[in-house]
Amino acid sequence: MPKSKFNMLKSQLLKITEDYGSPVYVYDAEKIASQYKRLTDAFKDVKHLKINYAVKALSNISILKLFKTLGSGIDTVSIQEVQLGLAAGFLPEQIIFTPNGVSLAEIEEASKLGVQINIDNLSILEQFGTKHPNVPVCIRINPHVMAGGNSNISVGHIDSKFGISIHQIPHLLRIIENTKMTINGIHMHTGSDILDIDVFLYASEILFETAKQFKNLEFIDFGSGFKVPYKQGDIETNIEELGKKLTRKFNAFCKDYGKDLILAFEPGKFLVSESGNFLTKVNAVKQTTSTVFAQVDSGFNHLIRPMFYGSHHEIINISNPNGRERFYTVVGYICETDTFGNNRRINEINEGDILCFKNAGAYCFSMASNYNSRFRPAEVLWYNKKAHLIRKSETFDDIIKNQVEIDFKKEKVLTN
Ligand SMILES: *Cc1c(COP(=O)(O)O)cnc(C)c1O
């Protein structure tokens, strides 16, 4: 963890909790911009590069607008994300719709809005192609490659629900021939943790082989899954090396294909994970017979990744950064086990201190819920050395507004 960069912001982070309360998510726009630049720099030798930020990682409209200023497009997985993208000012042609398991009706709705459709299922492809043979579509291929990580996040393997298997290409080609539809893009997304560049390059070879069978391609989309470090010593996707190696293969492919295609990516985590800090206040320090718990004013309702995926988020006591280090188990206030970090070495914690969770940009707020009838927290974007509130904390009205009360006085009382 580059501490210097972090320390620069520590006093600002404390000020933000004073101004906006706790818990609160804070995103550093500069970090997002520098990750975006790192990616585009790594592929600078590709003639037509297109980055489509994966909205589901962090879907606040101000974050989407920030990506628009950077020149990014967006990758969406629901019609609501498409609508959010349009509301943020993206043009339909800057949006790709890459859902899984949605209805034909939802795909048609997105198509009507003019966004690029990406289909990952032969049944839907056949129906869509029959009804709309003039709408060019992209197809999501499953190359059956395990790109590392655990089975929850490696979506390329044989039993995955994602993509059209490469073994089904003959059927796919028959559908295209019968419907006379046009395939303008070919796509893969092999999962959320690319540990090994060679595995990624191997999958890309399969994609190139497949691509040769389609004559009207405009782009090849290599998805994402780039890994960022969550703790010291973590493996990180070497994007610069991947850039060099994939660029060489891609440019060679385009030469053979006879056309300069667009090389597309759709990263979420890589672009926003490290920009995020989640700030919580310590409600209680509780000593048991075996451990010292620090209990913060949050839980897996706000940050589910540690409980859901076993993810490691660094936890730093920004109120007492020079205090003596001790071991703590950091937990939340939910009436259920909600451990954020087990047996962590943290600068001495006092009640009222602010703990900062690192890597809180991707899949943190966007997976938050109202469990225990708690409010979802505010979000702040640190931009141009100023804090900008980009989402207010919820209020009781948000909890109650869609609930419908039955007037039991007017009903017969249930008896047993
Ligand atoms: C979630 C998702 C992504 C983003 O994955 P990251 O690991 O966050 O980069 C990209 N493409 C598709 C289709 C996705 O579902």
Side-chain angles (χ1 to χ4, degrees):
M1 222 44 54
K3 274 211 161 150
S4 57
K5 178 130 183 121
F6 176 77
N7 284 338
M8 242 171 57
L9 288 172
K10 194 185 63 214
S11 59
Q12 310 291 0
L13 292 174
L14 285 170
K15 176 83 168 54
I16 286 168
T17 59
E18 282 165 24
D19 293 348
Y20 300 100
S22 114
V24 58
Y25 277 99
V26 185
Y27 313 112
D28 179 0
E30 239 172 73
K31 183 66 190 179
I32 293 175
S34 72
Q35 287 294 94
Y36 186 84
K37 185 166 187 309
R38 243 185 97 191
L39 190 56
T40 49
D41 282 354
F43 289 89
K44 63 181 188 315
D45 293 330
V46 170
K47 207 165 183 182
H48 307 293
L49 178 72
K50 197 166 176 182
I51 309 295
N52 293 315
Y53 164 62
V55 170
K56 76 176 189 289
L58 176 61
S59 45
N60 187 292
I61 193 163
S62 290
I63 298 293
L64 301 187
K65 287 188 161 186
L66 173 66
F67 274 106
K68 193 164 175 292
T69 68
L70 298 175
S72 181
I74 52 169
D75 174 69
T76 56
V77 295
S78 68
I79 190 71
Q80 290 79 11
E81 283 189 354
V82 172
Q83 288 160 344
L84 204 50
L86 293 171
F90 285 94
L91 300 170
E93 54 266 35
Q94 295 174 304
I95 303 176
I96 180 164
F97 184 48
T98 306
N100 171 265
V102 307
S103 67
L104 177 63
E106 185 169 333
I107 291 177
E108 287 177 316
E109 197 181 338
S111 171
K112 215 182 273 170
L113 293 171
V115 310
Q116 172 71 50
I117 302 299
N118 187 357
I119 294 181
D120 92 328
N121 164 335
L122 289 181
S123 162
I124 298 284
L125 185 75
E126 184 169 344
Q127 294 173 68
F128 188 88
T130 303
K131 286 175 79 176
H132 314 282
N134 297 325
V135 178
V137 305
C138 172
I139 44 173
R140 178 171 183 171
I141 298 295
N142 183 343
H144 301 307
V145 173
M146 279 278 276
N150 64 41
S151 60
N152 289 330
I153 44 182
S154 300
V155 296
H157 61 88
I158 194 88
D159 289 326
S160 161
K161 70 164 186 167
F162 297 98
I164 297 166
S165 165
I166 39 162
H167 306 302
Q168 291 175 305
I169 298 294
H171 189 182
L172 176 69
L173 291 172
R174 172 175 295 184
I175 290 170
I176 292 160
E177 198 183 311
N178 288 344
T179 59
K180 309 270 183 289
M181 68 192 301
T182 301
I183 301 301
N184 68 341
I186 173 162
H187 166 275
M188 71 168 186
H189 172 65
T190 53
S192 237
D193 274 297
I194 295 175
L195 298 173
D196 187 341
I197 288 180
D198 291 329
V199 175
F200 189 87
L201 291 171
Y202 173 70
S204 76
E205 285 294 336
I206 296 171
L207 203 61
F208 287 133
E209 272 311 304
T210 312
K212 284 182 191 160
Q213 316 205 36
F214 301 91
K215 299 297 163 223
N216 301 302
L217 293 183
E218 291 162 20
F219 66 94
I220 301 183
D221 189 331
F222 292 89
S224 174
F226 305 137
K227 197 168 160 55
V228 296
Y230 276 70
K231 57 178 186 293
Q232 217 129 37
D234 263 1
I235 303 166
E236 171 181 9
T237 304
N238 186 336
I239 218 80
E240 288 73 21
E241 187 188 339
L242 180 67
K244 276 203 198 89
K245 291 183 171 170
L246 186 60
T247 296
R248 203 177 308 136
K249 283 180 190 291
F250 184 78
N251 289 344
F253 173 83
C254 289
K255 208 164 163 211
D256 282 351
Y257 192 78
K259 184 177 170 189
D260 277 320
L261 301 180
I262 296 165
L263 189 163
F265 283 114
E266 45 191 38
K269 192 183 273 182
F270 180 82
L271 294 173
V272 297
S273 172
E274 294 165 284
S275 78
N277 298 289
F278 183 48
L279 305 174
T280 63
K281 186 180 275 180
V282 178
N283 282 337
V285 176
K286 181 173 185 173
Q287 177 105 45
T288 65
T289 50
S290 61
T291 189
V292 183
F293 288 105
Q295 289 201 276
V296 299
D297 60 353
S298 181
F300 68 62
N301 51 328
H302 298 149
L303 175 55
I304 202 172
R305 299 186 77 258
M307 292 302 292
F308 196 35
Y309 300 119
S311 311
H312 181 104
H313 289 259
E314 287 285 299
I315 305 171
I316 299 163
N317 183 359
I318 59 173
S319 297
N320 187 20
N322 301 314
R324 177 170 64 108
E325 287 186 337
R326 296 188 60 192
F327 285 96
Y328 295 94
T329 293
V330 178
V331 297
Y333 63 5
I334 290 296
C335 288
E336 195 153 344
T337 302
D338 57 352
T339 308
F340 286 120
N342 215 354
N343 218 26
R344 297 287 185 86
R345 193 195 285 270
I346 300 173
N347 299 104
E348 183 157 6
I349 297 175
N350 294 295
E351 290 171 0
D353 282 357
I354 302 295
L355 300 191
C356 175
F357 293 76
K358 304 297 292 174
N359 284 77
Y363 307 105
C364 292
F365 186 91
S366 65
M367 294 179 110
S369 77
N370 291 115
Y371 188 47
N372 276 210
S373 295
R374 293 287 184 181
F375 306 147
R376 284 182 297 169
E379 293 179 288
V380 168
L381 182 64
W382 182 254
Y383 183 80
N384 269 346
K385 302 186 171 52
K386 273 206 312 273
H388 301 257
L389 183 67
I390 59 171
R391 185 191 300 267
K392 297 178 203 167
S393 167
E394 287 180 334
T395 63
F396 184 69
D397 186 53
D398 295 303
I399 302 290
I400 199 92
K401 70 181 176 205
N402 290 327
Q403 302 193 38
V404 180
E405 292 180 62
I406 291 180
D407 186 353
F408 282 104
K409 284 197 210 94
K410 290 188 182 150
E411 304 278 336
K412 192 167 157 273
V413 175
L414 293 183
T415 51
N416 45 0

